[in-house]
Amino acid sequence: MRFPLLLTLQASWLTVCQATQHYPTTWGHYDLCKSEGYTDEGPTWYYMACQPEAADMTKYLKVFLDPPNITCGDPPETYCTLENPYMCNNECDSATEELAHPPELMFDHEGRNPTTFWQSTSWKKYPKPLAVNITLSWNKTIELTDDIVITFESGRPEQMVLEKSLDYGRSWQPYQFYATDCLDAFTMEPKSVRDITQHTLLDIICTEEYSRGYVWKNDKTVRFEIKDRFALFAGPKLHNMASLYGQLDTTKNLRDFFTITDLRIRLLRPATGATMVDEYNLSRYFYAISGIKVHGRCKCNLHANSCIYDKERLTCECEHNTTGPDCGRCKKNYQARAWSAGSYLPIPKGTANICLPNSVGPVTTDVCLYHLNDITNLDVKRWAGQGARNPVIITDDLHLRYLKAV
Ligand SMILES: *[C@@H]1O[C@H](CO)[C@@H](O)[C@H](O)[C@H]1NC(C)=O
Ligand SMILES: *[C@@H]1O[C@H](CO)[C@@H](O)[C@H](O)[C@H]1NC(C)=O
Ligand SMILES: *[C@@H]1O[C@H](CO)[C@@H](O)[C@H](O)[C@H]1NC(C)=O
Ligand SMILES: *[C@@H]1O[C@H](CO)[C@@H](O)[C@H](O)[C@H]1NC(C)=O
Ligand SMILES: *[C@@H]1O[C@H](CO)[C@@H](O)[C@H](O)[C@H]1NC(C)=O
Ligand SMILES: [Ca+2]
């Protein structure tokens, strides 16, 4: 017989899978996909759920502007400040490096003085809206891990929408609406992230928090609050990440909410600082952005702990015999059972759900991968008498043991 039966236990496979789902105080990092171990029969591999480290994702994006010729400087223009129409010393000329404001300056290393920023043309066509789309594309699924922060050099826009795509830009969904007056702009009640609860986490809100008060020169940021949303599950200081990961594991909608392939900032109306637009000096109205922060990690379905950027493309370095940009398939000859994503549970190492070699033969999906050592460590008595089905532990050519419901 090809796969010797090692032992039979009086229990159902389901119980085995749940037996180790306790939540230790130390939280695993999921930074290892496998580790070597030893059994009586010699060396063996333990497989674990793994994910790449979170990183600054702005290094890997492509930016597209719509309309494409909306960047200032061709022809050169002089801008006045919103606060003082007589202060007109902001010059934009795309042909002069020091006076040009191309989109790349939204993603360069800041901390320089003066700041570097992208700037749009002014609102010359008023009252026609000054609408600009800034689309950020990764051509890769990304899981957000921190707030999206957009820092304006101009006043913050009076109306804007942050949108996301999960299908490489084919369809778009709003993430958040921003306006000085939500009812007027989008016929939505103004809300803040503090109004969101666990049950309304997927709700899309309009907030007035980041649009008002152009006079506050020190607050130029517009945020999409990822951490506040995480905190609804993980606690205020994100102490209980286990609870969050447990939720993400079991609720696909929640997981998808934080997953993107593209982001779009739709600027709909610039800061005007007053109710009336000064039609005689439209050089006061424009958009300028000095920085955009997007922190996240490659989505690799818990089958990779690194993601490489090569030939302008992000790709997961898949383990567990998975393949594809997101490790979303089983490799050829490793399709003995249907592909499935790794799981954060049981904490802290999760379940790898590796792809099994075809040589194992057809395997049902009710297979719970456990190393023999782990199984003997479990409280066997607890399962006794529960067995609607008897799990067997079998081993394949790779010295891998797993339970199979029979
Ligand atoms: C940008 O291009 C469009 C169409 O090609 C044109 O109508 C518009 O005037 C241009 N805008 C600027 C600021 O040059
Ligand atoms: C805006 O006003 C300032 C100050 O009066 C002036 O220098 C500037 O040329 C004006 N710009 C326009 C487009 O009228
Ligand atoms: C911006 O994107 C929206 C959809 O997300 C689209 O309707 C609009 O035409 C695009 N262009 C501009 C300039 O707003
Ligand atoms: C996006 O990535 C896929 C592979 O994942 C590649 O085939 C395609 O050319 C990429 N598209 C762009 C626009 O870079
Ligand atoms: C995947 O397959 C390779 C051989 O192609 C093998 O060396 C490796 O151990 C396998 N990994 C897992 C996780 O089964
Ligand atoms: Ca900058």
Side-chain angles (χ1 to χ4, degrees), residues 33-34 45 47 319-322 331-332 334 354-357 398 400:
C33 296
K34 61 183 177 195
W45 288 103
Y47 299 104
E319 303 255 6
H320 303 158
N321 282 306
T322 60
K331 262 170 52 179
K332 204 172 157 240
Y334 285 87
I354 69 170
C355 289
L356 298 174
L398 299 167
L400 170 78

Side-chain angles (χ1 to χ4, degrees), residues 104-110 112 115-118 289-291:
E104 303 87 87
L105 299 182
M106 293 187 279
F107 308 105
D108 57 344
H109 177 71
E110 207 54 79
R112 268 178 280 178
T115 52
T116 58
F117 53 93
W118 163 80
I289 295 179
S290 60

Side-chain angles (χ1 to χ4, degrees), residues 9 80 84 112 138 183 186 230 246 270 322 332 348 353 394 404:
L9 296 165
C80 308
N84 182 348
R112 268 178 280 178
W138 282 270
L183 268 179
F186 303 113
F230 282 172
T322 60
K332 204 172 157 240
N353 289 334
I394 61 176
K404 186 178 179 183

Side-chain angles (χ1 to χ4, degrees), residues 39-272:
T39 64
D40 299 345
E41 295 149 46
T44 186
W45 288 103
Y46 297 87
Y47 299 104
M48 294 159 277
C50 52
Q51 63 184 6
E53 229 177 301
D56 171 7
M57 283 291 151
T58 57
K59 294 180 205 151
Y60 313 115
L61 58 77
K62 288 200 175 66
V63 57
F64 304 94
L65 296 189
D66 182 30
N69 58 356
I70 198 69
T71 300
C72 68
D74 183 20
E77 255 190 283
T78 300
Y79 293 79
C80 308
T81 62
L82 187 56
E83 295 84 354
N84 182 348
Y86 297 96
M87 246 179 80
C88 307
N89 49 15
N90 177 353
E91 248 181 290
C92 181
D93 178 356
S94 60
T96 312
E97 204 192 323
E98 304 83 74
L99 300 177
H101 293 286
E104 303 87 87
L105 299 182
M106 293 187 279
F107 308 105
D108 57 344
H109 177 71
E110 207 54 79
R112 268 178 280 178
N113 211 1
T115 52
T116 58
F117 53 93
W118 163 80
Q119 187 167 316
S120 74
T121 58
S122 67
W123 202 357
K124 285 174 295 216
K125 291 188 181 151
Y126 176 86
K128 211 174 151 255
L130 180 63
V132 182
N133 287 347
I134 301 171
T135 304
L136 315 180
S137 297
W138 282 270
N139 194 21
K140 170 79 191 78
T141 44
I142 304 287
E143 293 168 335
L144 297 173
T145 55
D146 203 344
D147 295 1
I148 296 169
V149 185
I150 305 159
T151 307
F152 283 83
E153 181 67 18
S154 62
R156 295 180 291 185
E158 287 185 358
Q159 291 174 17
M160 78 168 243
V161 188
L162 182 67
E163 293 182 333
K164 65 169 276 200
S165 172
L166 236 178
D167 55 8
Y168 307 93
R170 277 185 285 279
S171 67
W172 294 89
Q173 298 82 42
Y175 240 161
Q176 195 144 295
F177 293 84
Y178 301 86
T180 44
D181 186 334
C182 283
L183 268 179
D184 180 57
F186 303 113
T187 57
M188 292 170 82
E189 285 290 339
K191 290 222 170 102
S192 107
V193 72
R194 288 178 297 279
D195 299 322
I196 296 174
T197 66
Q198 282 192 2
H199 300 289
T200 60
L201 194 141
L202 302 180
D203 286 5
I204 304 304
I205 60 166
C206 178
T207 177
E208 297 179 351
E209 216 153 298
Y210 303 105
S211 311
R212 287 221 184 98
Y214 74 98
V215 283
W216 307 112
K217 289 221 94 166
N218 52 359
D219 198 0
K220 297 266 188 175
T221 62
V222 173
R223 281 178 180 267
F224 181 63
E225 310 88 342
I226 298 287
K227 282 204 159 160
D228 287 337
R229 286 172 170 83
F230 282 172
L232 293 173
F233 292 104
K237 290 198 169 142
L238 305 184
H239 282 318
N240 190 4
M241 284 302 277
S243 161
L244 173 67
Y245 278 127
Q247 283 297 328
L248 289 174
D249 222 59
T250 48
T251 323
K252 184 176 184 296
N253 283 353
L254 186 65
R255 189 141 196 188
D256 284 351
F257 183 84
F258 298 108
T259 307
I260 60 167
T261 55
D262 305 73
L263 279 177
R264 179 174 283 166
I265 301 160
R266 296 184 61 189
L267 304 168
L268 297 173
R269 186 182 165 92
T272 62

Side-chain angles (χ1 to χ4, degrees), residues 347-377:
I347 282 158
K349 299 207 163 156
T351 308
N353 289 334
I354 69 170
C355 289
L356 298 174
N358 293 352
S359 58
V360 168
V363 175
T364 64
T365 49
D366 339 338
V367 164
C368 178
L369 279 170
Y370 269 94
H371 190 272
L372 186 58
N373 282 2
D374 296 338
I375 289 160
T376 51
N377 287 341

